[in-house]
Amino acid sequence: MSRTLELLESHVSDRTQWHFVVLRDADGLALGECSDSGDPARLTAELELAARELRGRDLPADRLAIVDALARRVGEQTGPDAFVSATLMGGLEQLLTDHAAQAAGEPVWKWLGGSAPAPVPLYANINRVPGGRTPADVAAAASKAVTAGFSVVKCAPFDVADGDRSLADTGLRRVRAIREAVGDDVEVRVDCHDRLPAEEIHRLLPVLEDLRIGWLEDAVALDRTRDLRALRAATSIPLAGGELMFHAAEAGTAVAEGLIDVLMPDVKHAGGIERVLSIARGVPDLAVSPHNPSGPVATAAAAHLFSVCPNATELEYQFGETPWRSDLVGGLERMTEGRLHADDRPGLGLTLDTRHPSLRVLWSTTV
């Protein structure tokens, strides 16, 4: 049996490249997404090692054994290397799940044991909308998302200063502009990306509360327990985090002490669909909103969780970065009025237009 494993890169913008792992065999394509690893060269090197686990194996019968081997590889590493391995594992686990569900003739949500899902509620991450970063620019991006049907928008206002003001004050001006542009009926969420010192966050809290911020994301990393306790005590704004977690234990103290309101594991960085599902089931009383500033494959993978995960609330959607996003997957990413619509196609329910001009093959081997 001839099978080919490939790593494809889609150039989206100066900021974003999506990375997809693709398994080609006589039955077609199986897909996974491993974007945002931070190191495409290392990702390729890790894939060369991971390919050994697939080569000659009986798929999907050996799926769990392969996933276990990938998890051990993550555990053998530390720092950025472990993060790259975890993200690759996420992509390969999605691919293996897609392949297994296709072989069973079932959509992933059914293969996982779920019933037909309702459309998945989305919120718009506007952080990669092309254009400038002035308050007027980000307010215009938020307005476009609202016009497209989103009732919740998220910004990352503290990523870049404007040169004349501090990072904190620059970000605050952006948040004010968004609130003024979208009005009171739209929820505005703020992703801090852990960019500000704790004292700056505390200085901004009264104004952010006045602006009725829906949540603060990564204002303080989950492992900075003392700072997180202080932040929890200082504000009623819901706190969100956990986007880079791989093990459930990484959020253990924050969850046990009630220091986090929304947990955000990512199907890429947490090692795949079933690992995110396991994390979510381990915190049944906590809202889970999968982190997903991702391409259409990871978005589909995360969306399938909602059928079997009662505490999954909303899914992040990377809004407005490119007009051809759905074209890349054969027009099968269907989003209307801020909701993503699943269907009954086997597997993840996507195909990939491998001739799309944004795509190039970074690596390929037979398995």
Side-chain angles (χ1 to χ4, degrees):
M1 177 175 58
S2 175
R3 296 187 306 216
T4 303
L5 182 65
E6 297 177 335
L7 178 65
L8 274 61
E9 180 178 83
S10 173
H11 180 78
V12 182
S13 68
D14 290 341
R15 177 171 181 174
T16 300
Q17 289 77 43
W18 293 327
H19 290 105
F20 305 111
V21 279
V22 178
L23 183 70
R24 301 174 184 263
D25 62 17
D27 296 322
L29 299 179
L31 305 173
E33 182 173 341
C34 49
S35 304
D36 298 328
S37 72
D39 190 343
R42 179 70 183 176
L43 185 71
T44 302
E46 284 294 312
L47 186 53
E48 290 180 350
L49 296 174
R52 301 173 186 174
E53 301 297 334
L54 277 73
R55 188 164 287 121
R57 301 290 287 267
D58 178 12
L59 300 180
D62 292 339
R63 180 183 63 85
L64 291 178
I66 295 168
V67 171
D68 285 345
L70 296 173
R72 287 194 298 273
R73 175 65 180 167
V74 177
E76 293 168 355
Q77 300 179 80
T78 59
D81 289 349
F83 180 71
V84 173
S85 290
T87 305
L88 176 61
M89 176 183 169
L92 288 172
E93 192 271 359
Q94 295 165 44
L95 179 153
L96 292 168
T97 298
D98 186 26
H99 185 275
Q102 287 188 51
E106 297 177 339
V108 166
W109 56 260
K110 185 175 182 179
W111 183 83
L112 289 171
S115 55
V120 175
L122 306 171
Y123 68 87
N125 179 337
I126 62 169
N127 199 38
R128 302 190 194 187
V129 174
R133 296 280 295 181
T134 69
D137 292 329
V138 295
S143 295
K144 288 179 182 177
V146 173
T147 299
F150 289 91
S151 60
V152 182
V153 297
K154 185 176 81 175
C155 60
F158 306 116
D159 283 5
V160 181
D162 66 6
D164 297 324
R165 294 174 174 82
S166 73
L167 193 60
D169 291 334
T170 295
L172 196 57
R173 291 176 65 237
R174 292 174 177 139
V175 178
R176 282 187 187 277
I178 291 171
R179 172 55 74 200
E180 291 172 1
V182 302
D184 293 335
D185 294 334
V186 173
E187 182 174 327
V188 178
R189 297 173 179 171
V190 171
D191 188 348
C192 300
H193 282 156
D194 204 15
R195 297 294 178 93
L196 299 179
E199 57 270 20
E200 286 278 44
I201 291 288
H202 282 262
R203 179 173 70 85
L204 298 180
L205 285 177
V207 182
L208 293 173
E209 289 170 351
D210 286 344
L211 290 169
R212 300 173 304 285
I213 297 308
W215 79 33
L216 276 179
E217 178 181 336
D218 284 337
V220 175
L222 293 185
D223 59 356
R224 290 166 51 194
T225 308
R226 179 180 297 180
D227 288 338
L228 195 56
R229 288 192 189 108
L231 183 61
R232 170 81 293 166
T235 186
S236 60
I237 299 175
L239 304 179
E243 65 186 55
L244 303 183
M245 66 187 303
F246 183 73
H247 295 290
E250 294 172 46
T253 300
V255 170
E257 297 188 17
L259 306 179
I260 194 79
D261 298 291
V262 183
L263 200 61
M264 305 182 70
D266 187 310
V267 293
K268 304 183 310 297
H269 310 316
I273 298 170
E274 291 190 283
R275 285 183 68 93
V276 169
L277 183 57
S278 176
I279 290 169
R281 286 175 170 168
V283 290
D285 298 323
L286 190 65
V288 171
S289 179
H291 178 257
N292 184 58
S294 307
V297 176
T299 298
H304 280 273
L305 290 167
F306 281 67
S307 177
V308 289
C309 187
N311 54 330
T313 55
E314 296 161 292
L315 179 60
E316 181 173 11
Y317 185 83
Q318 193 64 43
F319 174 78
E321 191 171 16
T322 177
W324 44 259
R325 176 185 170 106
S326 185
D327 296 341
L328 189 62
V329 288
L332 295 170
E333 183 181 79
R334 298 184 296 115
M335 188 269 295
T336 59
E337 295 300 314
R339 292 180 178 271
L340 188 68
H341 299 267
D343 59 29
D344 294 332
R345 292 171 60 91
L348 292 176
L350 300 177
T351 187
L352 188 70
D353 179 3
T354 56
R355 296 177 296 178
H356 194 275
S358 76
L359 285 173
R360 65 178 180 131
V361 177
L362 295 183
W363 177 89
S364 178
T365 191
T366 56
V367 292

